[in-house]
Structures are given as structure tokens and as C-alpha cells.
């Protein structure tokens, strides 16, 4: 694939979407679970990431964020609670509402996975020409701004 060509503005949205999907799949595939852990399905990984980033989120809120049915998220939660990665905690203001919290095991696993992924990305960036890595670094603030706009 020729990655150096300049895109007409009309092709940019499609190419960017394709790139993001491919990058996401590549990163998910590159994530190595800690020793003794199994590779988790994408839906579990996304839920774990969400709960780690937003501890205290409810099942309903997680379902809305992930655009999934609450009963499917509830099933994922049951598996992840059983496996020791999440815990259900009653909301102190409304004991009927259950909040999801990552466990210490989840924090350790995420730290391991993040460190491995960081090393893999750093190694790949080191193999690129310095100018390419510099352009990628320069694009990051604009990509975050794009994320903000897409979330509006």
C-alpha cells in the first residue's frame, strides 16, 4: 500500500475511517495477555477498557457508551466478575444501582498489556523514517480534536 500519496479532500474521510479500523484491529491483535490469561473477545476488552477509564459506570451507562444491549453487557460483566477483573458495587446513594469497578487484578493486567503495547508501538515507530514519526506525533493533537468533534 502506498502510504505517501496525498489524498483529495473527498477521499480523506473514507481513508481515515479505514485506517482507524485497521489500526484498531492491529492493536487489539497485538495485545498480549499476561501469562496464564486467555485472549479476550473484543467486546470484553472494550468493556474492561471502559470500566478502567470510567470506574463506577453502571451496566446501563456502559451499554449506551458501547452501543450494546444492556443484557449483553450484563452477560459480559458476569464473565469478567467471575474471572476476577471486575466487581459489582452498590451505589451508596441508591443501593439498587450497581456500579462497576476494576479489580486490582484488572489494573495489573492492564498495566502489563499497556506496557507491552507501548514497547511494540515504540519499536515500530523506531523503524520508520524520523520524518514519518515526527508527522505522526504532530498529527496527534488534531486527531484528538477530531475525536472530540465526532463525539459532539
Amino acid at each position: 500500500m502506498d502510504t505517501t500519496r496525498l489524498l483529495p479532500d473527498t477521499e480523506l474521510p473514507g481513508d481515515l475511517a479505514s485506517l482507524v479500523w485497521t489500526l484498531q484491529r492491529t492493536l487489539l491483535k497485538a495485545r498480549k495477555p499476561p501469562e496464564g490469561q486467555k485472549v479476550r473477545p473484543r467486546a470484553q476488552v472494550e468493556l474492561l477498557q471502559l470500566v478502567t477509564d470510567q470506574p463506577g459506570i453502571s451496566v446501563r451507562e456502559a451499554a449506551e457508551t458501547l452501543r450494546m444491549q444492556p443484557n449483553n453487557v450484563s452477560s459480559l460483566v458476569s464473565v469478567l466478575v467471575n474471572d476476577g477483573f471486575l466487581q459489582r458495587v452498590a451505589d451508596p446513594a441508591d443501593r439498587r444501582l450497581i456500579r462497576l469497578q476494576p479489580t486490582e487484578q484488572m489494573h495489573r493486567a492492564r498495566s502489563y498489556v499497556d506496557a507491552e503495547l507501548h514497547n511494540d508501538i515504540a519499536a515500530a515507530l523506531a523503524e520508520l523514517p524520523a520524518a514519518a514519526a515526527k508527522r505522526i506525533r504532530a498529527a496527534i493533537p488534531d486527531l484528538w480534536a477530531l475525536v472530540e468533534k465526532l463525539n459532539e
Side-chain angles (χ1 to χ4, degrees):
M1 174 191 327
D2 179 16
T3 58
T4 59
R5 69 186 172 101
L6 291 177
L7 302 172
D9 286 344
T10 57
E11 290 183 34
L12 182 59
D15 277 0
L16 184 57
S18 179
L19 170 68
V20 169
W21 283 112
T22 303
L23 182 60
Q24 181 183 28
R25 279 193 313 274
T26 301
L27 292 174
L28 283 171
K29 191 169 61 173
R31 286 189 159 191
K32 300 167 199 86
E35 179 107 10
Q37 293 292 325
K38 62 184 178 186
V39 174
R40 301 228 164 240
R42 183 175 175 175
Q44 286 183 18
V45 171
E46 289 179 356
L47 178 58
L48 287 169
Q49 288 175 318
L50 179 62
V51 174
T52 303
D53 292 343
Q54 296 180 36
I57 193 168
S58 71
V59 170
R60 182 188 53 76
E61 293 164 337
E64 288 172 5
T65 301
L66 296 173
R67 296 183 180 189
M68 294 176 66
Q69 294 298 316
N71 61 320
N72 292 339
V73 172
S74 185
S75 295
L76 292 173
V77 167
S78 294
V79 169
L80 295 168
V81 166
N82 249 6
D83 290 351
F85 289 100
L86 294 181
Q87 58 184 354
R88 294 180 182 106
V89 178
D91 186 305
D94 180 353
R95 306 284 304 160
R96 297 169 297 169
L97 183 60
I98 298 300
R99 300 284 179 185
L100 303 175
Q101 295 289 339
T103 63
E104 186 55 40
Q105 177 180 334
M106 176 56 218
H107 287 299
R108 284 191 310 272
R110 176 141 187 200
S111 292
Y112 173 85
V113 169
D114 287 350
E116 289 292 312
L117 193 54
H118 178 275
N119 292 338
D120 290 347
I121 293 171
L125 285 169
E127 291 180 22
L128 293 176
K134 187 175 180 178
R135 286 190 304 270
I136 291 169
R137 178 184 304 278
I140 289 175
D142 292 330
L143 292 170
W144 278 114
L146 178 60
V147 167
E148 290 297 317
K149 288 294 180 189
L150 290 169
N151 278 325
E152 288 179 353

